[in-house]
């Protein structure tokens, strides 16, 4: 469901970006409405924020960068979809995810348990790249 939601969300946000004349304004609105939704969720479920201070003091600075990376992702897809289309944009996104994921697994980057790259994982990444090429060369 989450994977299926991405092209729908990105298409809606790209249309908003075109209407606003600025993909970053659409990105901002995406995070504002998402933030409001999460705040309502936190209120309804009585989410505890007690551990945030402990995490702030004991974890590395980059553990808080997920929102910025999410904004980069959302803004990039909003900007790319009108230029490349949904299929090519998400083929490229998937290829980027696959390539970096194989490397992160291989080296145990950011605390991931190392899982050495093997023939199957490299072949899978190559097949995803092949999918990008096929979509790129469609008429």
């Amino acid at each position: 469901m989450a994977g299926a939601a991405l092209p729908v969300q990105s298409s809606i946000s790209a249309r908003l970006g075109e209407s606003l004349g600025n993909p970053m304004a659409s990105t901002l609105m995406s995070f504002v409405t998402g933030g409001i939704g999460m705040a309502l969720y936190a209120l309804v479920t009585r989410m505890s924020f007690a551990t945030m201070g402990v995490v702030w003091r004991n974890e590395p600075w980059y553990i808080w960068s997920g929102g910025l990376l999410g904004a980069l992702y959302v803004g990039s897809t909003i900007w790319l979809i009108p230029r490349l289309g949904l299929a090519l944009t998400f083929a490229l996104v998937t290829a980027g995810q696959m390539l970096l994921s194989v490397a992160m697994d291989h080296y145990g980057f950011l605390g991931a348990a190392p899982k050495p790259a093997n023939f199957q994982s490299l072949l899978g990444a190559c097949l995803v790249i092949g999918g990008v090429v096929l979509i790129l060369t469609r008429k």
Side-chain angles (χ1 to χ4, degrees):
M1 292 289 293
L6 287 176
V8 174
Q9 183 271 341
S10 297
S11 184
I12 290 168
S13 294
R15 183 169 175 189
L16 178 61
E18 287 180 331
S19 295
L20 295 172
N22 185 337
M24 293 306 113
S26 178
T27 303
L28 174 62
M29 291 312 303
S30 178
F31 279 83
V32 167
T33 57
I36 291 168
M38 290 309 302
L40 291 172
Y41 174 83
L43 287 171
V44 169
T45 63
R46 297 184 178 147
M47 185 185 298
S48 172
F49 296 96
T51 59
M52 282 196 185
V54 173
V55 171
W56 182 263
R57 288 186 298 276
N58 297 325
E59 293 293 337
W61 65 269
Y62 60 81
I63 202 165
W64 298 98
S65 66
L68 291 174
L69 293 170
L72 174 65
Y73 165 77
V74 170
S76 296
T77 58
I78 290 170
W79 187 80
L80 286 169
I81 287 169
R83 289 157 181 81
L84 303 179
L86 282 165
L88 183 55
T89 297
F90 279 99
L92 290 166
V93 165
T94 302
Q97 289 172 336
M98 182 61 62
L99 291 170
L100 187 57
S101 296
V102 169
M104 288 178 72
D105 274 349
H106 183 77
Y107 294 106
F109 189 59
L110 294 175
K115 293 180 180 62
N118 59 20
F119 176 76
Q120 289 90 339
S121 62
L122 295 174
L123 178 61
C126 287
L127 289 171
V128 170
I129 293 168
V132 170
V133 171
L134 289 173
I135 292 170
L136 187 57
T137 59
R138 71 183 172 172
K139 300 241 176 190

